[in-house]
Amino acid sequence: MSRNVRLGLFAAAGAMLAALLVWGFTGLPAFGDFQGEYGWILNDVAGHERHVTNVVASVVFDYRGFDTLGEEFILFAAAIGVALLLREARDDRERPRDEVRSDAVRAVGLMLVGPTVVVGLYLVAHGYLTPGGGFQGGVAVAAGVVLLYAAGRYRAYSAASPHGLVELAEGAGAGAYAAVGVAALFAGGLFLENVVELGTRGTLASGGTIPILNAAAGLEVTAAVVLLLHEFLEEVMYPA
Amino acid sequence: MTLLPYLLAAWLFLVGLYGVVTSRHLVHLVICLSVMQSATYVLLLAIGYRSGKKAPIFTAGVPVKVGAVDPVVQALTLTDVVVSVTGVALLLALVVEIWKRAGTVDPDRLRRKEL
């Protein structure tokens, strides 16, 4: 199909799709006036039912925790998929040519590694109290590790996150989430039911299984992001 | 103008689709796909918004009676973002493979036999 034909088709189909979307949107609740009952109820009950202050976290790791189990496995499968597609026998004895030459970039970048990891861990740890959580914080922790490459050397990144350890952490994160669900069965509850002591609202020891699932998600996300970047970076560092 | 946030979602979706249709580079195409997916974040968050309400986080001193925006769509958006990232990672890995096998990442130049 030539470019012009394709553009013509897009113009016609896009105009129709745009008209359909606008027509559909006029039937939605007016902006700022959403009356979905589910959200109102959760905002009211999450605090005393689950002893958490961040209602979104209670939805992610409890009320819709089963949904998040699927999400964890999507992330796990994608990371493994990328590793399968890209991993080859490579000669890592060759020296990768990736050293950062600017002293300013090196100094500032490497100084930020520690603070970035700490901020990430803080986001994970307080995910059910304040904005944040395992998914968001996990990406921040991984960003701290990636700074080792961005401001330093690939070798440093590689040494700080050995393949075996990262893969173990990835599997452990996804596995721990499912294990918490199964543990609830043995405790006499339903799969992923919150059966642990709920603790004091507003402290780190609150939320029952929410902090455990949150930490599992944090571990899984950190490991998956680090693993994904490993695979892509090796592609550049050691071209086949 | 209460329709504006929804129209932003429609615009993001269409502009991303335009990029996909006219793309000359597979990496560009994958990024356009993630622009299209961003439309779903905007739509979800726009639907769950309640005028004058804040984030659904009730720390000490914030009474539950104050109310907040819908927490469910926010949780769904989180899932949406994660799925988008994993999709982009897998697609980019496929692009790397295509580059190795076909020597080009221009969708118009790819031929079946090269793959």
Side-chain angles (χ1 to χ4, degrees):
Chain A
M1 203 188 321
S2 84
R3 272 191 100 68
N4 286 336
V5 177
R6 200 189 306 167
L7 266 179
L9 262 179
F10 171 76
M16 277 191 278
L17 179 62
L20 194 68
L21 284 174
V22 172
W23 179 60
F25 288 158
T26 53
L28 284 176
F31 179 65
D33 192 33
F34 183 62
Q35 294 300 332
E37 280 301 316
Y38 196 26
W40 283 119
I41 294 170
L42 283 174
N43 277 341
D44 281 345
V45 303
H48 60 82
E49 264 190 17
R50 296 293 188 264
H51 297 203
V52 292
T53 50
N54 181 349
V55 182
V56 180
S58 77
V59 175
V60 170
F61 294 115
D62 191 322
Y63 294 109
R64 293 181 60 91
F66 188 66
D67 193 34
T68 308
L69 178 70
E71 183 186 349
E72 285 252 313
F73 282 123
I74 288 176
L75 186 59
F76 181 77
I80 298 296
V82 169
L84 271 177
L85 276 170
L86 296 183
R87 192 167 295 177
E88 284 164 22
R90 294 194 184 89
D91 186 11
D92 344 11
R93 278 163 305 172
E94 253 176 84
R95 197 181 158 78
R97 302 179 59 179
D98 68 321
E99 277 170 55
V100 177
R101 292 204 178 75
S102 156
D103 287 336
V105 170
R106 285 185 72 97
V108 176
L110 294 176
M111 242 163 25
L112 283 174
V113 171
T116 310
V117 171
V118 171
V119 166
L121 290 174
Y122 172 85
L123 281 174
V124 175
H126 293 75
Y128 43 100
L129 303 176
T130 48
F135 288 96
Q136 300 90 324
V139 175
V141 176
V145 183
V146 171
L147 267 177
L148 283 174
Y149 158 72
R153 293 184 308 172
Y154 177 70
R155 279 278 164 86
Y157 174 68
S158 203
S161 56
H163 259 311
L165 187 69
V166 175
E167 280 167 12
L168 185 71
E170 221 222 336
Y177 198 105
V180 170
V182 174
L185 290 177
F186 283 104
L190 302 170
F191 184 67
L192 277 175
E193 190 177 334
N194 201 333
V195 288
V196 178
E197 176 61 42
L198 290 172
T200 314
R201 186 166 176 223
T203 64
L204 281 177
S206 67
T209 51
I210 292 174
I212 308 171
L213 296 177
N214 180 53
L219 184 65
E220 158 76 10
V221 171
T222 306
V225 173
V226 170
L227 184 68
L228 285 176
L229 284 158
H230 252 296
E231 300 302 336
F232 282 109
L233 285 175
E234 279 195 358
E235 206 57 42
V236 182
M237 295 301 155
Y238 308 106
Chain B
M1 287 314 275
T2 52
L3 211 54
L4 199 58
Y6 300 144
L7 292 182
L8 173 65
W11 181 75
L12 273 175
F13 189 89
L14 285 165
V15 84
L17 186 61
Y18 172 79
V20 169
V21 170
T22 59
S23 183
R24 289 176 189 278
H25 196 294
L26 287 176
V27 174
H28 168 264
L29 193 149
V30 174
I31 302 300
C32 289
L33 205 62
S34 75
V35 170
M36 286 173 75
Q37 185 138 15
S38 311
T40 62
Y41 317 151
V42 174
L43 184 61
L44 278 170
L45 294 177
I47 284 180
Y49 183 69
R50 293 189 181 118
S51 300
K53 303 293 186 199
K54 298 211 165 97
I57 290 162
F58 303 95
T59 42
V62 184
V64 174
K65 271 178 288 177
V66 175
V69 298
D70 194 293
V72 181
V73 287
Q74 301 215 349
L76 291 181
T77 308
L78 176 63
T79 307
D80 198 356
V81 172
V82 174
V83 171
S84 169
V85 169
T86 58
V88 165
L90 260 184
L91 286 172
L92 287 176
L94 286 170
V95 172
V96 170
E97 280 301 300
I98 290 171
W99 168 254
K100 279 192 211 156
R101 284 167 191 236
T104 176
V105 282
D106 180 346
D108 286 338
R109 289 178 176 214
L110 287 174
R111 295 284 170 269
R112 184 168 286 274
K113 63 172 164 38
E114 289 167 342
L115 301 172

